Amino acid sequence: MLPSPPHRPRARLGAILAALLGLVVALLPGLTGPAAAAPAAPAPAPAAEAAAAGTFRNPLNSGPDPFMTHWKGAYYLTTTQGGSIRMWRSPSLGTLPAADPVTVWTDTDPSRDRNIWAPEFYRFGERWYLYYTADDGVDDHHRLYVLESERDDPTGPYHFKAKLAPPNHADDFAIDAGILRLGGRLYLAYSGINQYQHNGINIAPMSDPYTVSGNAVAIDAAGGCPEVREGPEFLYRNGRVWMTYSTCDTGKPDYQVWMMSMPLNADPLVPGNWHQHRGAVFSRADDRGVFGPGHHAFFTSPDGTEDWIVYHAKTTSVNTYTNRTTRAQKFTWRADGTPDLGRPLAMGATQNLPSGDPGSGNYWINDDGRSSGPGGVTYTGAWNSGTGCAAQCFWSDDHWSDRAGATATFSFTGTRIVLLSVKDTGNGYAGVSVDGGPEQRVDFHHSIRVGEAVQYTSPRLAYGGHTLRVRVTGEHNSQSGASFVSVDRAEVYTN
């Protein structure tokens, strides 16, 4: 990575510490290998391994606009993929990042086969209905559609069922469908044209999961900015229905979640029944390196005792539509009956798995050799290290080098490993190999600096001891200003 001003002093400090460490290693009897190499981390205490089995870290997925549910022993997740709808399935939240996706829908109709966004899926009867928006390549041509499963399985297969368009907005821009279930009836809530915003909250009645049966009404939802009101989602608790939605442009760091509510026995098609709650209920946390949290959904723990939010956010304050990754965290309820979504947690913060989650056994290895499971990391060649990347890095530290031939080798026990670190404007190519096999060329460059980005995911391996080697090539693409490679943390999966 290209060191920004905060990195420069840490580079000097890192060099001093590395030299001192090298001196200590050289003086210790019985050690062999390059003097510049960092020692492998000691084996973790059994308590650390036990703790790892019941914990997880974000991100869960590299895509934005997440929707997730838990059904019959598994989590199911969708995120915006653009050209298709893909779904990830995992028995544990901890192993969801390593799950392989299933493509559940592609389209050959040129009016709706591009820019497929924000899929959500709901079970009605013994079928699943998958709602999404798509266009023909022109953003203003986004419309809402629904698929129907051919069996009682969230992964399908699906067939196209209908276009969803209220009569008073028969051919208007529409995105972000969310389904409101109230009093035995269904309602389509979505973001589309109304008198308040181009992307404003609208609600329309439905006669069944795939038929809009009346005009949409516009909801004048506050948001702290003149821009969008999108991604409506619903909670039902304490005699009220809570509608949360995202406001401001999703590219901005101030993208955030606001809330309205009404009694469960009120008519959602009467705008005056909705009560506006003041201020954002979920917003940026600069001290934790979290920007633009929003476009969320809710799910419950496997045993039904906990409420969780899944959402996307970024690690940069730059106005950008890239770097939006999927995260999850538990939320609670206040004494007055309102949901308390709390503050978004830092990327990589270790959390307890949802109650009833069978556990994953995955664990982390930090760039300094600390680990919550069996393994560590060793270095050869010249590397800088330090804490200048702060909230953009796991444990606030990382290693980086632009010296061709320098290596970082992770040793681990498991079935898969994911490498996360900083992408930056001055980063270059690394050669990544598993167990001494052929190298894969990986580009660590990004047009803006972002933290804890997924750089590489290994293929599935037989359970056992393995190595992952990251080699600095000294090369970079034409847009990069240098050839740095960053090492921050590895996430290891054991099943």
Side-chain angles (χ1 to χ4, degrees):
M1 99 194 94
L2 180 64
S4 56
H7 277 76
R8 292 189 179 111
R10 81 172 188 176
R12 291 192 292 270
L13 177 61
I16 294 170
L17 292 175
L20 290 174
L21 179 60
L23 178 61
V24 171
V25 171
L27 293 175
L28 290 175
L31 290 179
T32 59
E49 294 186 48
T55 60
F56 78 100
R57 284 148 298 282
N58 288 315
L60 299 180
N61 189 275
S62 293
D65 307 332
F67 185 85
M68 184 155 62
T69 192
H70 186 271
W71 185 71
K72 286 192 174 180
Y75 299 89
Y76 294 83
L77 169 71
T78 52
T79 62
T80 288
Q81 297 295 304
S84 65
I85 299 175
R86 295 198 290 174
M87 188 174 290
W88 287 261
R89 178 186 185 277
S90 174
S92 173
L93 205 63
T95 51
L96 194 56
D100 294 317
V102 175
T103 299
V104 299
W105 183 252
T106 56
D107 207 323
T108 57
D109 186 324
S111 70
R112 58 172 194 256
D113 65 348
R114 306 274 298 278
N115 299 316
I116 299 172
W117 296 348
E120 299 195 359
F121 49 100
Y122 301 81
R123 185 174 184 261
F124 300 113
E126 295 184 351
R127 292 293 180 268
W128 290 82
Y129 293 87
L130 199 158
Y131 302 84
Y132 66 100
T133 184
D135 67 23
D136 58 1
V138 178
D139 178 50
D140 233 25
H141 294 172
H142 267 103
R143 304 292 183 265
L144 294 176
Y145 304 100
V146 60
L147 311 174
E148 182 182 61
S149 71
E150 296 178 11
R151 61 188 183 194
D152 193 5
D153 187 338
T155 63
Y158 286 92
H159 58 266
F160 184 81
K161 192 65 176 179
K163 178 182 177 180
L164 298 172
N168 60 334
H169 293 288
D171 199 28
D172 288 345
F173 173 88
I175 62 172
D176 295 357
I179 302 301
L180 168 61
R181 292 177 270 194
L182 205 59
R185 299 192 61 185
L186 300 179
Y187 301 86
L188 174 68
Y190 68 97
S191 179
I193 293 173
N194 63 29
Q195 62 265 43
Y196 306 113
Q197 286 94 21
H198 181 276
N199 295 34
I201 299 296
N202 298 304
I203 302 177
M206 303 181 76
S207 57
D208 56 46
Y210 48 86
T211 307
V212 177
S213 57
N215 288 339
V217 299
I219 306 298
D220 186 9
C225 62
E227 298 149 11
V228 304
R229 312 288 185 261
E230 62 187 18
E233 296 293 332
F234 300 94
L235 292 167
Y236 311 85
R237 182 76 65 89
N238 303 322
R240 299 185 72 82
V241 54
W242 311 88
M243 178 172 67
T244 53
Y245 55 93
S246 299
T247 77
C248 306
D249 191 309
T250 189
K252 293 183 176 180
D254 290 318
Y255 193 62
Q256 57 194 246
V257 178
W258 284 56
M259 183 170 70
M260 304 181 81
S261 70
M262 72 172 198
L264 285 173
N265 58 1
D267 185 350
L269 299 177
V270 176
N273 286 340
W274 289 99
H275 166 70
Q276 181 71 58
H277 294 258
R278 295 180 59 186
V281 295
F282 200 62
S283 58
R284 61 190 285 174
D286 294 38
D287 59 321
R288 296 175 173 179
V290 181
F291 303 93
H295 202 112
H296 61 293
F298 302 110
F299 66 99
T300 56
S301 60
D303 66 3
T305 64
E306 296 174 347
D307 293 304
W308 287 70
I309 181 173
V310 60
Y311 61 97
H312 77 230
K314 300 180 291 187
T315 60
T316 177
S317 61
V318 174
N319 186 345
T320 177
Y321 296 104
T322 66
N323 188 231
R324 296 177 293 163
T325 59
T326 290
R327 304 122 183 259
Q329 63 188 71
K330 186 172 70 171
F331 70 92
T332 58
W333 295 81
R334 298 186 181 91
D336 66 0
T338 59
D340 181 1
L341 302 186
R343 299 181 69 225
L345 297 172
M347 178 84 93
T350 296
Q351 303 178 62
N352 290 330
L353 287 165
S355 181
D357 189 300
S360 59
N362 58 307
Y363 62 93
W364 52 263
I365 303 173
N366 192 40
D367 67 286
D368 65 359
R370 287 177 290 177
S371 176
S372 63
V377 59
T378 58
Y379 297 88
T380 66
W383 289 82
N384 302 300
S385 64
T387 58
C389 61
Q392 284 193 316
C393 288
F394 187 67
W395 287 96
S396 302
D397 59 14
D398 68 340
H399 278 64
W400 69 99
S401 176
D402 64 346
R403 302 301 177 90
T407 66
T409 302
F410 289 87
S411 59
F412 65 97
T413 301
T415 59
R416 203 166 207 178
I417 187 169
V418 175
L419 180 67
L420 301 95
S421 66
V422 170
K423 287 182 177 287
D424 206 350
T425 57
N427 281 8
Y429 293 111
V432 180
S433 58
V434 176
D435 294 337
E439 281 191 347
Q440 178 177 329
R441 191 176 177 89
V442 179
D443 193 352
F444 282 46
H445 171 262
H446 196 273
S447 57
I448 57 174
R449 178 184 169 87
V450 297
E452 292 204 65
V454 174
Q455 305 279 20
Y456 172 81
T457 301
S458 78
R460 294 194 179 278
L461 307 166
Y463 179 82
H466 300 280
T467 59
L468 173 77
R469 192 184 75 161
V470 181
R471 182 180 64 85
V472 180
T473 67
E475 301 170 341
H476 59 83
N477 68 40
S478 59
Q479 286 76 45
S480 181
S483 302
F484 285 90
V485 168
S486 169
V487 173
D488 185 14
R489 74 165 159 124
E491 195 74 19
V492 178
Y493 300 88
T494 60
N495 53 29

